[in-house]
Amino acid sequence: MNTLKHFINGQFVSSSSEEAFELVSPVDGECYAMSPNGGKAEVDQAYAAAKAAFTVWKKSTPAQRQKALLNLADAIESNAARLAEIQSQETGQLRHFIEKEEIAASCDAIRFFAGAARCLEGKASGEYSEGFTSTIRREPLGIVGQVTPWNYPFMMAVWKIAPALAAGNTVVLKPSDTTPISTLMLAELAAPFFPAGAFNVVLGKAGTGSLVVSNPTASLVSITGSVRAGLQVAASAAANLTKAHLELGGKAPVVVFADANLDKAVDTILTAGFFNAGQDCTAATRLLVEQSVYDVFLQKLLEKGKAIRFGLPDDKSALYGALNSKNQLEQVKGFIERLPSHARIEMGGHAGPGPGFYFEPTLISGLHQQDEAIQHEVFGPVMTIQSFNSEEEALHKANDVEYGLAASVWTSNHGRAQRFSIELDFGTVWVNNHIPLCAEMPHGGFKKSGYGKDLSSYSLDEYTRVKHIMCDITE
């Protein structure tokens, strides 16, 4: 049995206690490794290592940081097949999806931040008060505590560490307790290019994460996770007056008007709703379709949806793999079991045969706006479909949830597309598409989807602080 270790100060480190737990593969429900449950000793050790490394890394030049990040991206590409093999065991994802999509996008993001490290800007220096010259410095915050989720464990770790390291910070990161191994490999690949202690990984359950985000050494804490977890992080950060960055999930509306290209919409939305088993906070989860084309659109969805299926990690013809865990499978099943009597399951609705944690692509109609499956994040291969009769009704239904991460509008009317892009209360709005992301543009939400941005120069800015230096020039 493989027993994991933490990665602290540039090397693998055993836990100070014997407390450990099983890692279970969602592919077959079998235990494949044991993980330590890190405690205060490991977290303090990681923060001490990060603090020592910061004294060196903060003095590195942008060119040096760029080189280290570019070297890391190259190392990841060279190990893409191995990473995909490792991660598919812990997530149940399709291997080709991990390698061609998640790892490729991760390398692209690292390379973006490598370049952005050399483009930090501030206001021009000048004399704003008589006899004084003012300049603005952008400096790294210091040591950053981060917690990453299980749906894209490798890519989410990259989204956290790349801007932090590019800005000159050092990191203590706690990956999800169900998917830690690809993050450990990321730290191992990064070690030759960064000072020892610049990137530390502490393994454990939720209690370990709480220790990471409540540590007073942290200058910023960042989490991608549930609203409940985000509220806890915000509260612990507030106790230390620590800056917080929260990405907390979504319930993305997909607004389809009668004048849209319905065939393109059907193909794109089915993929955007079900890929990665629907375990994506920007997934197309709530379909809102204009009444005049509702029946036609629903029929097209069902015809095309029949071809979608889940599969084992090496199945290149499947769209998605397993759900992350037995708990996640039970959560999805619970939503289906609690559906009100007026709901109609148009497609799917059942778990796949064991022993893995699989669920059919599912489409539900007939729900009311305040029903649970409309208002709350399922985080599985489940979409709902509703109708609307006017722009006002569509906009109301789209915005009438507590989340505000992502949305899309489908129409050939340019003015309508612009109006909805402005009025939709979501951090990202796609027009005539759904789900594409790029490293140059920000990812982050409004309302209970949290605050702060991943990706883009906006993310890099969040990992810096602004200092004003004012010099007396009269002598």
Side-chain angles (χ1 to χ4, degrees), residues 120-158:
L120 282 172
E121 298 176 351
K123 290 183 178 180
S125 57
E127 290 68 52
Y128 302 97
S129 183
E130 186 176 350
F132 293 90
T133 290
S134 288
T135 59
I136 296 294
R137 284 176 56 86
R138 277 203 172 271
E139 301 177 339
L141 292 169
I143 296 86
V144 176
Q146 301 175 324
V147 177
T148 51
W150 45 255
N151 56 332
Y152 303 106
F154 188 84
M155 187 169 70
M156 293 296 97
V158 165

Side-chain angles (χ1 to χ4, degrees), residues 45-202:
Q45 185 181 358
Y47 270 103
K51 187 174 183 179
F54 181 62
T55 63
V56 176
W57 190 238
K58 71 177 181 178
K59 296 177 182 177
S60 60
T61 65
Q64 290 170 329
R65 297 198 290 274
Q66 179 190 49
K67 183 178 181 181
L69 287 164
L70 291 175
N71 285 337
L72 173 57
D74 291 345
I76 291 169
E77 279 189 339
S78 298
N79 289 273
R82 180 180 166 214
L83 278 163
E85 180 72 23
I86 288 171
Q87 186 163 292
S88 66
Q89 183 181 43
E90 60 181 0
T91 64
Q93 293 170 295
L94 305 177
R95 290 192 196 102
H96 71 273
F97 172 83
I98 298 170
E99 187 170 354
K100 302 301 182 184
E101 299 291 338
E102 185 171 347
I103 293 175
S106 297
C107 291
D108 182 68
I110 291 171
R111 290 181 175 126
F112 166 79
F113 284 112
R118 301 183 73 162
C119 298
L120 282 172
E121 298 176 351
K123 290 183 178 180
S125 57
E127 290 68 52
Y128 302 97
S129 183
E130 186 176 350
F132 293 90
T133 290
S134 288
T135 59
I136 296 294
R137 284 176 56 86
R138 277 203 172 271
E139 301 177 339
L141 292 169
I143 296 86
V144 176
Q146 301 175 324
V147 177
T148 51
W150 45 255
N151 56 332
Y152 303 106
F154 188 84
M155 187 169 70
M156 293 296 97
V158 165
W159 282 19
K160 297 297 185 194
I161 70 163
L165 293 171
N169 302 282
T170 55
V171 172
V172 175
L173 186 147
K174 206 286 288 184
S176 168
D177 58 298
T178 63
T179 58
I181 299 181
S182 60
T183 304
L184 285 173
M185 186 171 174
L186 175 62
E188 185 179 19
L189 291 173
F193 311 119
F194 297 87
F199 174 24
N200 306 277
V201 177
V202 180

Side-chain angles (χ1 to χ4, degrees), residues 340-358:
S341 59
H342 53 263
R344 176 184 174 87
I345 298 176
E346 300 283 356
M347 179 177 75
H350 299 95
F357 310 135
Y358 297 88

Side-chain angles (χ1 to χ4, degrees), residues 443-464:
H443 173 81
F446 307 148
K447 299 188 289 189
K448 287 191 176 180
S449 287
Y451 44 79
K453 300 297 182 183
D454 288 315
L455 302 177
S456 80
S457 60
Y458 295 99
S459 177
L460 189 63
D461 287 347
E462 291 199 30
Y463 286 94
T464 67

Side-chain angles (χ1 to χ4, degrees), residues 300-314:
K300 287 177 178 288
L301 281 172
L302 295 176
E303 290 174 359
K304 290 290 184 71
K306 292 176 182 177
I308 294 176
R309 61 184 186 81
F310 54 77
L312 295 171
D314 59 354

Side-chain angles (χ1 to χ4, degrees), residues 213-421:
V213 299
S214 63
N215 193 289
T217 305
S219 298
L220 177 145
V221 293
S222 177
I223 180 175
T224 297
S226 66
V227 172
R228 182 182 63 181
L231 290 170
Q232 293 170 347
V233 171
S236 64
N240 293 317
L241 289 180
T242 302
K243 184 178 178 182
H245 170 200
L246 312 174
E247 200 275 84
L248 308 178
K251 191 69 176 174
V254 180
V255 183
V256 182
F257 285 93
D259 63 351
N261 182 333
L262 298 186
D263 289 328
K264 177 187 176 183
V266 166
D267 289 341
T268 305
I269 291 166
L270 284 171
T271 300
F274 294 138
F275 86 105
N276 204 40
Q279 298 171 130
D280 187 298
C281 49
T282 60
T285 58
R286 292 188 296 134
L287 280 59
L288 300 167
V289 182
E290 192 164 9
Q291 181 63 58
S292 62
V293 295
Y294 177 88
D295 290 337
V296 172
F297 193 80
L298 176 57
Q299 189 59 38
K300 287 177 178 288
L301 281 172
L302 295 176
E303 290 174 359
K304 290 290 184 71
K306 292 176 182 177
I308 294 176
R309 61 184 186 81
F310 54 77
L312 295 171
D314 59 354
D315 188 345
K316 293 186 177 181
S317 64
L319 179 62
Y320 63 90
L323 292 168
N324 171 260
S325 64
K326 184 178 180 180
N327 286 343
Q328 191 61 25
L329 176 61
E330 291 302 318
Q331 174 172 309
V332 174
K333 288 166 61 178
F335 271 91
I336 302 302
E337 292 165 358
R338 294 190 300 273
L339 285 173
S341 59
H342 53 263
R344 176 184 174 87
I345 298 176
E346 300 283 356
M347 179 177 75
H350 299 95
F357 310 135
Y358 297 88
F359 203 86
E360 296 175 337
T362 299
L363 179 65
I364 304 167
S365 66
L367 290 168
H368 300 163
Q369 184 64 22
Q370 297 307 313
D371 286 337
E372 179 189 32
I374 297 291
Q375 291 294 322
H376 297 287
E377 190 172 35
V378 179
F379 224 58
V382 177
M383 295 194 297
T384 64
I385 185 167
Q386 299 167 277
S387 65
F388 64 86
N389 289 296
S390 66
E391 286 191 14
E392 292 75 17
E393 183 185 2
L395 188 63
H396 169 74
K397 286 182 174 178
N399 285 335
D400 186 29
V401 291
E402 65 181 8
Y403 299 97
L405 186 59
S408 65
V409 55
W410 297 75
T411 179
S412 60
N413 185 313
H414 179 73
R416 176 187 287 148
Q418 290 296 308
R419 288 194 301 275
F420 265 70
S421 297

